[in-house]
Amino acid sequence: MYKKSLLDEIKNIYNKVNVYDDTMEKKLALPSIDIFDHIMINDAYNNELQILGEEKLLKKDTGIVLLAGGGGTRVLESLKSLLKSLKDDEIDLLTEEEKKTVDMFKSINSINILETNETKLTLPITPIKGKSSMILNLESISSLARDFNKDLKVLIMVGPTTISAIKELLIENDNFGLQNIAIKIQGTLPCINQKTNDFILYQNGEYLSGANGGGGVFEALFSDVLKDAKDNIVYEGNAMEWFKDSQLDDILIAQTDDAKEKEVFKALLGTKQKADKNGNMNNLVGMAYRYPKKYKEIGGEIEFAFKLGSLWKVSQGKKSYYKILEFNDLSENERKIVIDNFKLESSILAANSGSYVLPIELSEKIYKEKLLELHLQKNKFEKGYKVTKFEYFLPDIVEIATKNDYNLSVLLLRDSSMLSGVLKDNSIDSMPIKDISKLSIAQEIKEYLDKKKLQDLGVKVHDDAIVEISNLASFTIGNDVVLKKDSKLYIGGSYEAYNISIGNNVTFEEGSIVIIEGNKDVTIDDGVVFKAYSTINL
């Protein structure tokens, strides 16, 4: 059972917010949010950051914490609605993105959309192999461990609804080649029934509860015993002791419902390395992207396509600090500031993407001094109930850090405003999957990035060709390689970095499907032509 003080705190928050109907006046002086006077904002694909990230990895002073505890109620509820529409033959009622998602599921042979019973983190988003965001993140981390730090320690923070799926994923993939990997289950908090305004007695006299949010990582980092996917004990103490035993200075905490390439992880670490080089180690790094400039005006009201958290500077007398505010928590006046900034082409609105690099010392301070406050999340689903959930928000560490004289640096991901179509209004390096329609967008982003990798190497890729490249892939490509219309090319990888070499004048004819796995050296000689409608696994 929960301590009475915690239950009282939860009920007080709930009652207070309901009394003011979610519009409580804030006592903050918030200036324009395009002011980033002393914040260092870096571009993720800046070559300097990639080199500095490799330096940081070779120093072996950072542990990784992957957040995989969220149940994904919004995604799963939208998936249920999608399935119901299909069963009731109401496909014409679906949005274009939902229709694309249906087609995506159907195109991946191993997935039958009518029988899918997945978690958000295992839903497919790649066009050929059907890999999920969790797999792509683990492949990125594994590739960095393979190439720079075989002793890299990785902790996966799971929740009650994700632990089974994550364990199964790790066992099936032999821990993705990671030698030091552990699982920790985060805590839960009781929910409020939105009809009765009270806690919900669920089973055995216990209250119905849900995962305690991204910020719950700080509680879980300090609770004892780490296990692996097969329930073997990895470490008798807590995760923070596990990290400190290896003389680590920092931890990288990353969301996993967005698919990050290894270059993004490197750039995050490179930003921390750059900030630390001035001799002051009190630095927090956050990852963000430009707020998509997509909105429409309806009867004088502005409606946004995205309602993400954004970075704000808060002035209090001569001192200032930074915080992340969720769009839905903004007052009318604050929303006007966002709208005005949207209209400035030069403005940078840093949208929160939920990944950070912070000193272990700061993590200990947050935990020991109980600095994270509870937040409430309305209209969530938990075991069939529509509830208000209570969570600790990870982005609150921005405010905590800058109030305690930590410097803030921001890694800005690639701007997609120059692109066309669905990619124009989405982060090109980080697509959080909040509802089912985002799956097909995430797939388009992944495919765009993989095509660009080949095009940058001189490969002529038809617009209708399909490309997928593993984050583990190690490959070289010669001159005059061509992928024609409707051809498919998958370039895989391995934990041992076997090389794949495609020679000169290689052609993938229309309709050919070539899957190259990296479990051994593979060489495709000069002049090879993969003919139409051939399917070849190498």
Side-chain angles (χ1 to χ4, degrees):
M1 294 293 286
Y2 299 95
K3 293 181 180 178
K4 188 175 185 303
S5 58
L6 177 60
L7 296 178
D8 288 342
E9 184 182 354
I10 289 171
K11 204 62 183 287
N12 284 337
I13 293 170
Y14 182 76
N15 290 334
K16 187 176 181 183
V17 173
N18 274 305
V19 165
Y20 289 96
D21 194 28
D22 292 333
T23 57
M24 287 186 295
E25 187 175 346
K26 295 180 176 65
K27 298 177 181 178
L28 301 173
L30 293 163
S32 175
I33 50 179
D34 65 335
I35 297 174
F36 293 104
D37 47 8
H38 67 271
I39 296 183
M40 177 170 56
I41 294 187
N42 296 303
D43 182 351
Y45 283 76
N46 178 298
N47 190 53
E48 177 196 11
L49 288 185
Q50 294 296 306
I51 293 169
L52 287 170
E54 292 174 8
E55 280 183 24
K56 182 81 170 162
L57 284 159
L58 290 170
K59 283 171 65 177
K60 301 183 178 182
D61 67 353
T62 306
I64 308 290
V65 179
L66 297 177
L67 303 185
T73 54
R74 283 173 290 193
V75 174
L76 298 178
E77 286 300 315
S78 59
L79 176 57
K80 288 177 186 176
S81 298
L82 185 64
L83 296 179
K84 183 179 182 302
S85 297
L86 291 175
K87 288 177 181 177
D88 294 345
D89 198 25
E90 295 175 346
I91 195 164
D92 290 340
L93 301 178
L94 302 180
T95 66
E96 285 305 309
E97 290 307 329
E98 286 173 335
K99 289 177 183 176
K100 287 181 183 178
T101 300
V102 172
D103 292 339
M104 184 192 81
F105 272 96
K106 288 179 176 177
S107 70
I108 300 167
N109 295 329
S110 62
I111 299 291
N112 181 339
I113 191 169
L114 295 176
E115 298 176 2
T116 297
N117 183 21
E118 300 275 350
T119 70
K120 174 175 67 171
L121 299 174
T122 55
L123 289 170
I125 60 170
T126 65
I128 297 174
K129 301 290 277 187
K131 294 179 182 179
S132 68
S133 63
M134 191 70 198
I135 289 176
L136 294 173
N137 280 297
L138 283 165
E139 284 188 344
S140 289
I141 295 296
S142 178
S143 69
L144 297 178
R146 177 194 66 192
D147 297 340
F148 301 102
N149 178 10
K150 292 190 187 307
D151 298 322
L152 184 67
K153 286 186 172 180
V154 179
L155 178 73
I156 302 181
M157 196 67 65
V158 297
T161 58
T162 61
I163 184 168
S164 297
I166 299 300
K167 281 183 175 181
E168 185 178 327
L169 191 65
L170 292 174
I171 292 169
E172 284 179 355
N173 293 277
D174 195 23
N175 287 335
F176 292 85
L178 293 164
Q179 298 176 9
N180 295 294
I181 188 166
I183 292 175
K184 188 69 188 175
I185 189 164
Q186 70 181 96
T188 61
L189 288 170
C191 306
I192 297 282
N193 188 318
Q194 289 185 187
K195 289 184 178 179
T196 65
N197 293 347
D198 213 336
F199 298 114
I200 304 165
L201 279 174
Y202 186 59
Q203 290 177 342
N204 303 321
E206 294 282 340
Y207 291 123
L208 177 69
S209 62
N212 61 0
V217 64
F218 293 102
E219 289 286 334
L221 283 172
F222 290 88
S223 62
D224 285 347
V225 185
L226 303 181
K227 295 184 178 181
D228 64 14
K230 295 180 179 177
D231 286 331
N232 300 310
I233 292 177
V234 174
Y235 189 78
E236 292 282 0
N238 64 52
M240 199 55 75
E241 291 168 341
W242 187 52
F243 289 142
K244 291 175 76 172
D245 271 357
S246 297
Q247 286 76 54
L248 303 187
D249 297 321
D250 301 308
I251 52 174
L252 187 160
I253 301 177
Q255 299 280 5
T256 53
D257 69 339
D258 59 335
K260 292 179 285 294
E261 295 188 302
K262 57 188 173 185
E263 288 82 6
V264 172
F265 283 103
K266 270 200 288 188
L268 258 174
L269 292 170
T271 305
K272 183 69 166 69
Q273 177 80 341
K274 184 174 182 177
D276 287 349
K277 281 206 164 187
N278 64 13
N280 177 5
M281 305 299 283
N282 288 347
N283 297 296
L284 171 70
V285 168
M287 188 171 83
Y289 50 91
R290 293 177 188 269
Y291 228 104
K293 290 183 178 292
K294 184 177 181 181
Y295 63 93
K296 56 187 176 182
E297 196 164 343
I298 305 171
E301 293 292 320
I302 297 291
E303 181 178 301
F304 290 85
F306 287 81
K307 296 181 178 178
L308 306 166
S310 52
L311 184 67
W312 290 69
K313 180 183 177 183
V314 182
S315 300
Q316 287 187 332
K318 294 182 179 180
K319 293 201 71 175
S320 64
Y321 62 91
Y322 291 86
K323 69 183 299 179
I324 290 172
L325 285 174
E326 292 295 317
F327 183 87
N328 289 331
D329 292 337
L330 298 178
S331 69
E332 185 177 339
N333 185 52
E334 292 160 1
R335 290 192 185 198
K336 184 178 182 302
I337 294 173
V338 173
I339 293 165
D340 290 344
N341 274 268
F342 255 56
K343 296 174 181 176
L344 299 174
E345 285 301 319
S346 61
S347 69
I348 296 174
L349 289 99
N352 170 46
S353 65
S355 296
Y356 304 89
V357 185
L358 65 158
I360 285 177
E361 178 186 46
L362 177 58
S363 300
E364 291 178 322
K365 180 180 182 68
I366 290 169
Y367 170 72
K368 291 175 181 175
E369 297 182 20
K370 306 296 180 189
L371 296 179
L372 285 172
E373 296 182 359
L374 277 174
H375 295 259
L376 83 171
Q377 296 271 64
K378 286 191 167 186
N379 300 318
K380 304 281 281 187
F381 288 88
E382 196 72 42
K383 299 181 177 67
Y385 291 87
K386 190 174 183 180
V387 301
T388 295
K389 293 180 70 173
F390 295 85
E391 297 180 0
Y392 295 104
F393 284 4
L394 183 61
D396 284 356
I397 65 174
V398 171
E399 179 177 350
I400 292 167
T402 55
K403 278 184 172 179
N404 284 274
D405 299 320
Y406 280 78
N407 300 312
L408 174 66
S409 301
V410 179
L411 172 70
L412 196 66
L413 301 182
R414 276 186 293 203
D415 186 3
S416 60
S417 61
M418 300 302 291
L419 302 176
S420 60
V422 69
L423 300 182
K424 182 178 178 65
D425 300 305
N426 292 282
S427 163
I428 203 64
D429 296 302
S430 177
M431 165 47 64
I433 298 170
K434 300 299 185 186
D435 62 67
I436 202 69
S437 65
K438 298 295 189 294
L439 289 169
S440 61
I441 298 173
Q443 184 185 89
E444 288 187 55
I445 289 172
K446 170 65 176 165
E447 194 177 348
Y448 168 83
L449 292 171
D450 288 347
K451 279 184 178 179
K452 190 173 186 306
K453 284 179 186 176
L454 294 187
Q455 289 165 340
D456 288 346
L457 293 170
V459 178
K460 296 173 185 174
V461 183
H462 191 281
D463 287 345
D464 293 329
I466 296 175
V467 176
E468 183 181 333
I469 300 173
S470 167
N471 290 330
L472 284 160
S474 172
F475 64 95
T476 56
I477 292 181
N479 298 318
D480 299 317
V481 176
V482 178
L483 271 70
K484 294 189 176 179
K485 182 180 179 182
D486 296 329
S487 61
K488 292 184 179 181
L489 174 61
Y490 171 77
I491 302 177
S494 75
Y495 316 118
E496 291 81 19
Y498 293 111
N499 190 54
I500 294 163
S501 178
I502 298 176
N504 301 307
N505 301 302
V506 174
T507 301
F508 299 85
E509 291 284 1
E510 180 177 343
S512 62
I513 302 172
V514 179
I515 297 176
I516 309 172
E517 299 283 7
N519 55 4
K520 58 183 178 181
D521 288 342
V522 176
T523 300
I524 297 174
D525 293 327
D526 294 352
V528 170
V529 176
F530 294 98
K531 297 192 175 177
Y533 310 113
S534 59
T535 301
I536 300 170
N537 288 275
L538 297 173

